[in-house]
Amino acid sequence: GPDTTQENNKRALLILAGQSLTNVARPNNVITDYLEFENYDDNRDFEQQPIRIGTDAALKAPFNDRVVVVDQNSW
């Protein structure tokens, strides 16, 4: 049957790219300058982390994506 867990009930979401992390002029075609970690690979897994500007891989930093749930299933 359908996956009814809270994590997998999203019907629509927005992922908004934050400020350039590499200081490369935009627009450009470097996806990692726009989105970080799970948000830039080619699958349907997305993540939200606390906004961090430092560099620390253990904290998944830097991270400045904003994830907004627009609609979700109510089971």
Side-chain angles (χ1 to χ4, degrees):
D3 188 343
T4 58
T5 62
Q6 185 70 18
E7 295 83 21
N8 295 312
N9 68 348
K10 312 307 182 267
R11 293 176 58 187
L13 59 91
L14 298 174
I15 300 177
L16 309 169
Q19 183 176 353
S20 172
L21 296 173
T22 60
N23 296 318
V24 174
R26 290 186 179 175
N28 65 52
N29 63 351
V30 181
I31 190 70
T32 55
D33 188 47
Y34 293 88
L35 302 171
E36 291 84 64
F37 304 103
E38 277 297 320
N39 299 335
Y40 74 80
D41 60 10
D42 198 20
N43 64 32
R44 291 182 180 215
D45 294 328
F46 304 102
E47 69 179 303
Q48 174 64 46
Q49 297 287 332
I51 302 303
R52 296 184 174 102
I53 58 174
T55 301
D56 186 341
L59 296 175
K60 289 199 166 183
F63 190 97
N64 65 6
D65 296 349
R66 274 49 171 199
V67 178
V68 179
V69 175
V70 178
D71 192 20
Q72 63 188 27
N73 292 320
S74 55
W75 302 99

